[in-house]
Amino acid sequence: AKSVLSFELDNDFGVDANPQDEDHIIYEGYPNLERNIPFNGEKALDVYYQKNGTTVKKPVVMFIYGGSWVTGDKIRYTKFGVLLQKSGYVAVLPNYRIYPSGTIEDMVDDVYSAIKWTYNNIEKYGGDPNQIILTAHSAGAHLSALTIVKSTLGLNNNGVPLTPLPFIKKAVLMNGPYILNKDLIGHTIIKGISGGISSGSGNNQSDPSQITLLPKFLLKYYNDNNISPIALLKKAANNSITNQFNIGEFTFFYTSKDGTVPESSAKNLIKEINRTSPSSICNYVYEKGLEHATLIFGIRDGDIYYEN
Ligand SMILES: *[C@@H]1O[C@H](CO)[C@@H](O)[C@H](O)[C@H]1NC(C)=O
Ligand SMILES: *[C@@H]1O[C@H](CO)[C@@H](O)[C@H](O)[C@H]1NC(C)=O
Ligand SMILES: *[C@@H]1O[C@H](CO)[C@@H](O)[C@H](O)[C@H]1NC(C)=O
Ligand SMILES: *[C@@H]1O[C@H](CO)[C@@H](O)[C@H](O)[C@H]1NC(C)=O
C-alpha cells in the first residue's frame, strides 16, 4: 500500500529529478533570482528578489521545506520563491543536509546558519533584516523549532553552544512533528517502527539492506529527547525564557486530515512555549479538510486558493 509517507518520499521532492521538468525550467529561466549562494560549507540557498527594486526594503520570507529528513531540494519549491517574490517579499530558500549523510545536528547547523546568513546579507537583495518571517513545513518545521529552542537555551550543537538567533518577526510552523516517540503511533510517519516496515513502504525489516532511509532515521532518533523541541523545553523552568525566543510571534498551522503527524505535536509544543515563556505570542491555525501536505502540493500545482 502506498502510505502518505511513501507519497512524501516520492521523487517529487528528490534531488535527482529530470532536469527538463517544470521546476527546473522555471528555476533556470526566472530572472528575479540569484541561485546557489553558498552559506554553510557546501550548502547553498536561493534568493528570489526584484532585481530592479532593492532600495525600498521588503519583508523577507524564508522557507524551510519538509521531506522527512531524508529528501528535499530547493528547486522543488521554485514556485514558492516565485509566488513570494511576486507578492512583494524577498524569499530565501536554503538547502540543508539530509540523512544519512547529515545528522540532525548538521541539519540544525544548516538552518541556523541560513537564518544568520539571511539576517547579515539580505539587505543587498532589498530585504529588511528586521522583518524576517521564518516559514517551514513538516520536517522543516521540526528543524526550525529545534533550532529556535536550542539557540534560545544555548545548547550544544555539533559540540558548539548555539548563541541566540537574530530577531525573527514571525515563525510559521506547519504540520511539524516536534517529538519522535509513542505519540506518533497511529500516524504514518511511524510506520517504519511500529511494524509497518514491510507493509508501509515496501521494505522487509529482517533484511537490513531493505530498510529504506526514513525507517533507519526513525530507528536512530526514536525517543531521542535531544532532538525534540518539546522534550528540551520540558527541562526548562516555568517563566525561565525571558526573550520570547527572539520570535515576535509564532503561528502553528495544522490540518484536520493530517495522517502523518498528530495534532498533539503542535499542541504540546505550544504548551511548553507558554509555560517557559508566558509572554510569547502563539497563534494556532487549524485548517479543515487538508492533509499533511495539501497546501504544499497546492502551491506546486499553481492553485490560487492555496497560494492565497
Ligand atoms: C522592474 O521590473 C519589473 C519586471 O520584473 C517591471 O514590471 C517594473 O516596471 C520594473 N520597475 C522599474 C522601476 O524599472
Ligand atoms: C525478508 O527478508 C528475509 C531475509 O532476506 C527473507 O528470508 C524473507 O523471506 C523476506 N520476507 C518477505 C516478506 O519478503
Ligand atoms: C509550572 O507551570 C505549570 C503549568 O503552567 C504548572 O502546572 C506548574 O505547577 C508550574 N510549576 C511550578 C514549579 O510553579
Ligand atoms: C498559557 O498558560 C496560562 C497559565 O500560565 C493558561 O492560563 C493559558 O491557557 C495558557 N495558554 C495556552 C495557549 O496554553
Side-chain angles (χ1 to χ4, degrees):
K2 199 173 157 77
S3 65
V4 175
L5 181 61
S6 52
F7 174 66
E8 236 201 309
L9 289 171
D10 271 347
N11 240 353
D12 214 17
F13 290 112
V15 283
D16 297 318
N18 175 8
Q20 296 304 315
D21 70 14
E22 192 190 2
D23 289 328
H24 279 88
I25 289 167
I26 298 171
Y27 182 77
E28 295 305 338
Y30 196 62
N32 283 317
L33 165 61
E34 186 162 332
R35 299 168 193 81
N36 288 323
I37 305 164
F39 71 92
N40 195 26
E42 287 179 8
K43 283 299 123 191
L45 52 77
D46 295 328
V47 178
Y48 295 76
Y49 70 110
Q50 195 191 324
K51 288 192 174 167
N52 68 357
T54 55
T55 46
V56 178
K57 300 296 170 233
K58 298 180 174 70
V60 178
V61 176
M62 299 184 68
F63 180 64
I64 313 297
Y65 53 70
S68 308
W69 304 276
V70 300
T71 181
D73 186 81
K74 56 189 170 49
I75 294 180
R76 291 281 152 257
Y77 301 91
T78 292
K79 285 184 183 167
F80 286 64
V82 170
L83 171 67
L84 289 162
Q85 192 273 312
K86 288 188 169 164
S87 307
Y89 299 96
V90 172
V92 178
L93 275 73
N95 270 343
Y96 55 85
R97 277 166 280 183
I98 51 179
Y99 182 81
S101 55
T103 63
I104 291 226
E105 297 200 11
D106 293 335
M107 301 176 206
V108 165
D109 185 47
D110 289 337
V111 171
Y112 180 84
S113 303
I115 294 169
K116 286 217 155 166
W117 181 92
T118 300
Y119 183 76
N120 291 326
N121 296 281
I122 209 60
E123 221 161 340
K124 301 199 268 290
Y125 301 87
D128 181 350
N130 299 313
Q131 294 193 72
I132 295 176
I133 299 158
L134 176 66
T135 69
H137 177 250
S138 194
H142 162 260
L143 295 170
S144 298
L146 185 57
T147 302
I148 290 166
V149 167
K150 289 186 86 168
S151 59
T152 299
L153 298 176
L155 300 175
N156 273 353
N157 195 70
N158 278 342
V160 182
L162 293 183
T163 55
L165 285 169
F167 176 73
I168 293 171
K169 195 177 171 196
K170 288 184 190 174
V172 182
L173 304 180
M174 301 179 273
N175 303 81
Y178 305 112
I179 193 159
L180 301 186
N181 69 4
K182 60 177 171 31
D183 291 0
L184 300 180
I185 291 174
H187 292 78
T188 53
I189 190 173
I190 212 71
K191 268 208 164 131
I193 288 176
S194 59
I197 284 183
S198 46
S199 61
S201 42
N203 298 303
N204 177 347
Q205 195 163 20
S206 50
D207 179 356
S209 71
Q210 293 262 309
I211 301 178
T212 52
L213 292 176
L214 181 57
K216 268 191 195 160
F217 171 90
L218 290 172
L219 286 167
K220 178 173 160 79
Y221 286 112
Y222 191 66
N223 276 337
D224 182 347
N225 284 342
N226 292 318
I227 61 110
S228 162
I230 295 173
L232 289 172
L233 277 182
K234 281 202 167 137
K235 296 186 202 162
N238 289 0
N239 309 313
S240 59
I241 292 167
T242 53
N243 69 348
Q244 292 88 38
F245 297 85
N246 244 353
I247 306 285
E249 60 186 91
F250 289 94
T251 295
F252 287 90
F253 178 86
Y254 188 74
T255 51
S256 69
K257 291 190 172 167
D258 188 338
T260 304
V261 304
E263 187 181 17
S264 62
S265 219
K267 287 279 176 79
N268 288 337
L269 182 52
I270 292 171
K271 205 164 94 187
E272 286 306 311
I273 290 172
N274 186 37
R275 185 185 62 76
T276 54
S277 172
S279 54
S280 279
I281 299 169
C282 272
N283 308 301
Y284 189 62
V285 177
Y286 184 83
E287 195 76 24
K288 286 209 171 120
L290 274 57
E291 294 178 0
H292 182 66
T294 307
L295 182 67
I296 305 303
F297 283 106
I299 293 169
R300 284 175 44 74
D301 287 347
D303 184 317
I304 288 172
Y305 177 79
Y306 296 113
E307 288 179 351
N308 287 338

